[in-house]
Amino acid sequence: MSDLERRHYKRIPFIAEVLIRKGDQQWSCELEDISLKGLLVEAPAGVSADMGGNYQVELVLGEDVEIRMHAAISHSTNSHWGLEWSDIELDGITHLRRLLELNMGDPEEMNRELAELG
């Protein structure tokens, strides 16, 4: 089964800054796309992915709007990391839902994906 066949959540291309922290290290990278359950970012230059390791991720959407989450790397290449969030703040999930609603174009699709999360 291909990745596309396994994927349950629609990915939305979106450009934003992402801050990734692990321990006392921090990297800034660019968001490529986002879904209700994860995000794809440009891999930080010179950093090896710790598959399954716990990262603190901050998606910066605006001056006063951030989505903070804990995430693990689910897949990586030399140029990209796929992160799946495991814990997200309530305000963050509200911002994420609104961001996806505005960019998905189909409210029913959003409702289906939310039901799958349940």
Side-chain angles (χ1 to χ4, degrees), residues 58-108:
E58 185 176 314
L59 174 59
V60 181
L61 297 176
E63 206 171 289
D64 294 327
V65 180
E66 303 163 342
I67 299 175
R68 291 188 176 130
M69 63 189 80
H70 289 95
I73 298 174
S74 59
H75 62 277
S76 71
T77 66
N78 289 338
S79 60
H80 291 91
W81 287 359
L83 294 142
E84 184 174 337
W85 62 265
S86 58
D87 184 35
I88 189 168
E89 296 177 348
L90 182 58
D91 285 347
I93 195 72
T94 303
H95 289 306
L96 178 58
R97 179 182 177 165
R98 185 71 181 135
L99 174 99
L100 293 171
E101 282 175 342
L102 291 172
N103 288 282
M104 233 181 230
D106 181 2
E108 288 305 311

Side-chain angles (χ1 to χ4, degrees), residues 4-15:
L4 288 175
E5 291 170 326
R6 284 188 304 226
R7 188 168 293 133
H8 290 94
Y9 304 101
K10 184 171 182 176
R11 294 165 63 150
I12 305 297
F14 198 82
I15 297 172

